[in-house]
Amino acid sequence: MKSIYFTRFLVAALLLVSFSFTADAQKQPKSPPQSIMQEIGDLQIDLNYNAPSVKGRKIWGALVPTGQVWRTGANDATTFEINKAVTINGEQLAAGKYSLFTIPNGKEWTFIFNKQAEQWGAYKYKEAQDALRVTAQPTAAPEFTEQMTFEMDATGVVSLLWEDLKVSFTVDAEK
């Protein structure tokens, strides 16, 4: 009699453990939040984004259409925050927190720094809120990048890498 109760207990415990692993696996976001930070002297740059994956899909010109404002990631708009005024690709940008959008366009991309930092996607994007627009030329990535990634280096180069593409802009602290 004791072995029947013990067997039922073991089955119930195993089911409970298996359901908890299933629930944890379902909670993992498809496009996990990522953040990077770089200090250059007394300048601090913070970039926060949600990183989608290729997952066998065509990205450029399909999932991410050309010629249209893109949130540059997934879910919430990517944010770009600086603690002091800078120049980006030679153009001035005041200290603050911005949403970072892009317009992918084949041989020339536009990076957009929008004053409305907190927004979901690009659905309520308003061009009138743009603080700065700069252009950049995409290049071939050094290797395939499954999950969209931003990188920053100590010279102020900020790069977006995804699939087979890399596109960068340069941040210089104003003196």
Side-chain angles (χ1 to χ4, degrees):
M1 194 69 156
K2 284 184 179 181
S3 69
I4 290 175
Y5 290 117
F6 183 71
T7 302
R8 286 182 182 168
F9 170 78
L10 280 177
V11 169
L14 287 172
L15 285 172
L16 184 62
V17 167
S18 104
F19 285 133
S20 70
F21 281 123
T22 302
D24 283 345
Q26 291 172 350
K27 290 179 189 177
Q28 296 298 321
K30 292 180 180 180
S31 300
Q34 304 287 331
S35 12
I36 58 172
M37 186 272 291
Q38 181 70 49
E39 291 180 346
I40 304 169
D42 59 352
L43 169 64
Q44 182 173 322
I45 306 168
D46 291 292
L47 206 146
N48 296 287
Y49 62 101
N50 288 66
S53 294
V54 174
K55 297 181 186 172
R57 302 175 288 186
K58 178 168 172 36
I59 302 303
W60 311 117
L63 181 66
V64 177
T66 56
Q68 296 179 28
V69 173
W70 174 47
R71 65 180 126 192
T72 318
N75 307 326
D76 291 330
T78 294
T79 60
F80 178 87
E81 187 171 7
I82 46 178
N83 66 331
K84 61 183 280 186
V86 299
T87 60
I88 297 183
N89 288 2
E91 301 291 329
Q92 293 183 335
L93 183 64
K97 185 175 184 179
Y98 302 91
S99 53
L100 178 65
F101 295 102
T102 51
I103 301 175
N105 243 347
K107 294 185 180 190
E108 183 173 87
W109 280 41
T110 302
F111 281 96
I112 303 167
F113 298 84
N114 187 273
K115 295 174 195 171
Q116 185 180 350
E118 304 298 329
Q119 50 185 312
W120 198 89
Y123 300 106
K124 294 185 180 182
Y125 164 79
K126 291 183 176 70
E127 186 174 345
Q129 292 293 313
D130 290 353
L132 178 66
R133 285 180 172 222
V134 296
T135 58
Q137 285 67 47
T139 60
E143 60 187 22
F144 181 83
T145 306
E146 172 65 27
Q147 189 173 58
M148 190 191 91
T149 303
F150 275 98
E151 295 177 347
M152 282 192 272
D153 69 21
T155 67
V157 175
V158 179
S159 299
L160 164 68
L161 297 113
W162 197 22
E163 194 189 47
D164 58 357
L165 183 133
K166 176 180 181 178
V167 62
S168 305
F169 59 88
T170 303
V171 180
D172 288 309
E174 288 193 349
K175 296 183 177 33

